[in-house]
């Protein structure tokens, strides 16, 4: 029974389905570094925004043009990226929301309503609820895939795009990224950094199971941090599995190649899901800025904040003020022969 459950988890986590992204959020706060200094602005009162068959929990921090931050998953709440509220500045507010079926948002009655098009429609409902024609968008992991799908569907609504350890622009690219993840899974399993017998799911709650595999997502598998926030981050098997079921076969690349708004691609050089070559190629018309962060895994604002924050904050300040990129600003592209220019 122990072996069966371990194998089943491995298949779900790294197999041919979309499951390599299915648990990416993994309650990042539960292993995160100490919180930064007090946020530059206090959160406003949450709002419930209608979005077709659901109502979405939405909260803003700060003032100015909105940066909508999309957490990873699927099947996790906004708490996993709540620390990014500290990106709020006098020139840009940060907007977080819970995806359908998660946290403070309601769930659709139909499990078939967890497709990418549903997530895209939800993001546009958030934009509409903010009362603006355009939004700046930051997506992490699966949230990066939602962001790309939104760009593909409504490019005129996106003022800038920031992709952090993002999902891949196509199903084929996603499967290619699974290869490295499978290798890391096997390595850490052999080193007993992750359990051969993962904790079982309790009802719809996959938090305990997800937390057991957090070491997979950091450059340093022994990285540790406070656990205070793990109780507030939800993890839903139903949402995860319903979303994963509808993922195979997607391909956003044809519609991404015409996007030209300012774009930043950020990835750690030890991200277990591979490099950013496919993403950079998909957005080549936007001439994206590329930031490769050394000794950093899938959660760069947690594991290497001193490298992550200056890059992202400078980019956001520039796009908020509509300034062009500075001469000499990092524009390095992933190499064709390796994971990155430095690996």
């Amino acid at each position: 029974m122990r072996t069966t459950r371990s194998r089943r988890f491995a298949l779900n986590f790294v197999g041919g389905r979309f499951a390599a992204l299915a648990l990416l959020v993994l309650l990042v706060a539960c292993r995160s570094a100490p919180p930064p200094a007090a946020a530059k602005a206090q959160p406003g009162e949450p709002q419930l925004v209608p979005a077709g068959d659901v109502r979405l929990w939405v909260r803003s921090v700060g003032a100015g043009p909105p940066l909508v931050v999309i957490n990873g998953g699927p099947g996790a709440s906004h708490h996993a990226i709540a620390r990014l509220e500290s990106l709020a500045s006098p020139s840009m507010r940060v907007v977080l929301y819970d995806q359908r079926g998660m946290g403070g948002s309601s769930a659709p009655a139909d499990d078939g309503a967890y497709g990418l098009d549903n997530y895209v429609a939800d993001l546009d409902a958030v934009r509409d609820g903010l009362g603006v024609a355009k939004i700046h968008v930051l997506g992490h992991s699966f949230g990066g895939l939602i962001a790309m799908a939104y760009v593909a569907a409504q490019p005129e609504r996106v003022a800038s795009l920031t992709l952090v350890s993002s999902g891949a622009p196509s199903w084929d690219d996603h499967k290619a990224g699974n290869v490295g993840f499978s290798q890391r899974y096997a390595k850490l399993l052999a080193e007993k950094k992750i359990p051969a017998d993962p904790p079982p799911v309790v009802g719809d709650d996959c938090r305990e199971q997800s937390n057991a595999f957090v070491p997979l997502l950091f450059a340093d598998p022994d990285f540790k941090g406070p656990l205070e926030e793990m109780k507030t981050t939800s993890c839903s098997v139903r949402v995860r599995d319903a979303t994963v079921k509808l993922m195979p076969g997607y391909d956003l690349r044809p519609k991404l190649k015409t996007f030209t708004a300012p774009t930043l691609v950020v990835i750690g050089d030890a991200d277990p899901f591979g490099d950013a070559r496919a993403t950079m190629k998909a957005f080549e018309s936007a001439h994206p800025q590329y930031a490769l962060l050394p000794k950093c895994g899938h959660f760069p604002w947690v594991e290497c904040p001193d490298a992550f924050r200056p890059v992202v904050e400078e980019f956001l300040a520039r796009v908020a003020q509509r300034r062009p990129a500075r001469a000499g600003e990092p524009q390095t592209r992933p190499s064709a022969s390796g994971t990155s220019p430095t690996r």
Side-chain angles (χ1 to χ4, degrees):
M1 181 175 176
R2 293 166 62 93
T3 303
T4 300
R5 191 161 73 221
S6 179
R7 286 177 178 171
R8 184 182 303 117
F9 180 87
L11 287 171
N12 285 343
F13 205 66
V14 301
R17 303 190 307 163
F18 193 73
L21 288 176
L23 296 176
L24 289 190
V25 183
L26 293 188
L27 317 178
V28 60
C30 77
R31 289 292 186 98
S32 56
K40 299 173 184 175
Q42 295 301 312
E45 288 296 319
Q47 305 292 324
L48 287 177
V49 174
D53 55 350
V54 298
R55 292 173 67 83
L56 303 174
W57 181 98
V58 181
R59 182 174 69 193
S60 296
V61 181
L67 169 70
V68 181
V69 181
I70 314 169
N71 63 267
S77 63
H78 78 277
H79 301 88
I81 55 168
R83 291 170 184 270
L84 293 181
E85 283 185 329
S86 62
L87 291 173
S89 72
S91 60
M92 187 171 288
R93 59 178 150 155
V94 171
V95 179
L96 302 182
Y97 72 100
D98 277 329
Q99 294 163 23
R100 54 178 46 223
M102 297 307 306
S105 295
S106 63
D110 181 6
D111 280 359
Y114 285 99
L116 266 182
D117 56 340
N118 300 110
Y119 287 104
V120 165
D122 289 350
L123 179 53
D124 199 53
V126 172
R127 177 204 58 76
D128 187 60
L130 294 169
V132 296
K134 288 190 174 187
I135 52 176
H136 299 273
V137 178
L138 185 155
H140 171 247
S141 194
F142 174 70
L145 177 58
I146 295 174
M148 285 191 281
Y150 188 68
V151 165
Q154 304 215 44
E156 73 282 358
R157 298 295 193 185
V158 181
S160 76
L161 176 65
T162 303
L163 297 172
V164 180
S165 308
S166 179
S170 75
W171 180 251
D172 287 343
D173 294 325
H174 159 73
K175 289 190 294 183
N178 275 359
V179 174
F181 184 88
S182 298
Q183 293 170 346
R184 181 164 175 80
Y185 181 95
K187 180 177 182 292
L188 294 190
L189 190 63
E191 295 173 354
K192 298 183 179 180
K193 299 289 186 181
I194 56 176
D197 183 28
V201 169
V202 179
D204 186 48
D205 187 350
C206 49
R207 283 179 294 180
E208 290 296 323
Q209 188 179 83
S210 296
N211 282 329
F213 291 88
V214 164
L216 285 162
L217 303 180
F218 291 104
D220 176 7
D222 295 317
F223 179 83
K224 291 181 174 62
L227 303 175
E228 290 86 354
E229 295 177 23
M230 72 179 291
K231 293 182 179 180
T232 60
T233 305
S234 53
C235 181
S236 167
V237 174
R238 178 199 173 195
V239 174
R240 180 194 71 192
D241 290 353
T243 304
V244 166
K245 183 178 180 180
L246 299 173
M247 288 293 102
Y250 75 92
D251 189 355
L252 304 173
R253 293 172 297 183
K255 292 186 177 180
L256 297 179
K257 64 183 180 181
T258 59
F259 183 69
T260 58
T263 300
L264 170 65
V265 176
V266 182
I267 193 168
D269 68 353
D271 193 299
F273 296 98
D275 57 63
R277 282 177 290 172
T279 300
M280 292 293 287
K281 182 174 176 59
F283 284 95
E284 59 185 357
S285 294
H287 304 290
Q289 180 180 336
Y290 173 69
L292 179 72
L293 307 182
K295 298 180 181 179
C296 197
H298 197 63
F299 292 97
W301 71 91
V302 175
E303 192 172 15
C304 47
D306 291 343
F308 172 82
R309 293 191 68 89
V311 171
V312 175
E313 287 176 345
E314 195 287 328
F315 175 79
L316 294 176
R318 173 164 62 81
V319 297
Q321 298 168 21
R322 299 183 180 179
R323 290 188 286 110
R326 294 197 308 254
E329 202 159 47
Q331 296 289 342
T332 309
R333 292 176 178 270
S335 68
S337 59
T339 303
S340 73
T342 59
R343 285 180 66 192

